[in-house]
């Protein structure tokens, strides 16, 4: 969902995936531990955070 949907809140992820909230929290924590996820403040509702995937840096290879 984050790959296609951009930045989403935890509530958005739960609604879009129909997964239990505990499962979504666990997945977000695992992605954050593995440094695949960025968490940002959600200024519309300060009680929530926005989650998005960290874009891999493009390496330039010269031959």
């Amino acid at each position: 969902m984050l790959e296609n949907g951009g930045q989403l809140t935890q509530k958005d992820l739960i609604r879009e995936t129909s997964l239990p909230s505990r499962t979504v929290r666990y997945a977000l924590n695992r992605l954050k531990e593995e440094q695949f996820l960025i968490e940002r403040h959600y200024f519309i509702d300060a009680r929530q955070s926005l989650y998005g995937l960290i874009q891999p840096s493009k390496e330039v290879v010269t031959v």
Side-chain angles (χ1 to χ4, degrees), residues 14-27:
I14 292 167
R15 186 179 60 247
E16 294 291 326
T17 61
S18 300
L19 291 170
S21 60
R22 186 173 179 175
T23 303
V24 172
R25 276 195 312 272
Y26 176 77

Side-chain angles (χ1 to χ4, degrees), residues 33-55:
E33 286 174 6
E34 298 295 326
Q35 299 178 351
F36 290 116
L37 189 71
I38 189 165
E39 182 177 2
R40 297 183 181 183
H41 295 289
Y42 186 48
F43 294 108
I44 295 172
D45 185 353
R47 298 170 295 177
Q48 297 185 59
S49 296
L50 277 175
Y51 298 96
L53 294 179
I54 295 174
Q55 300 299 320

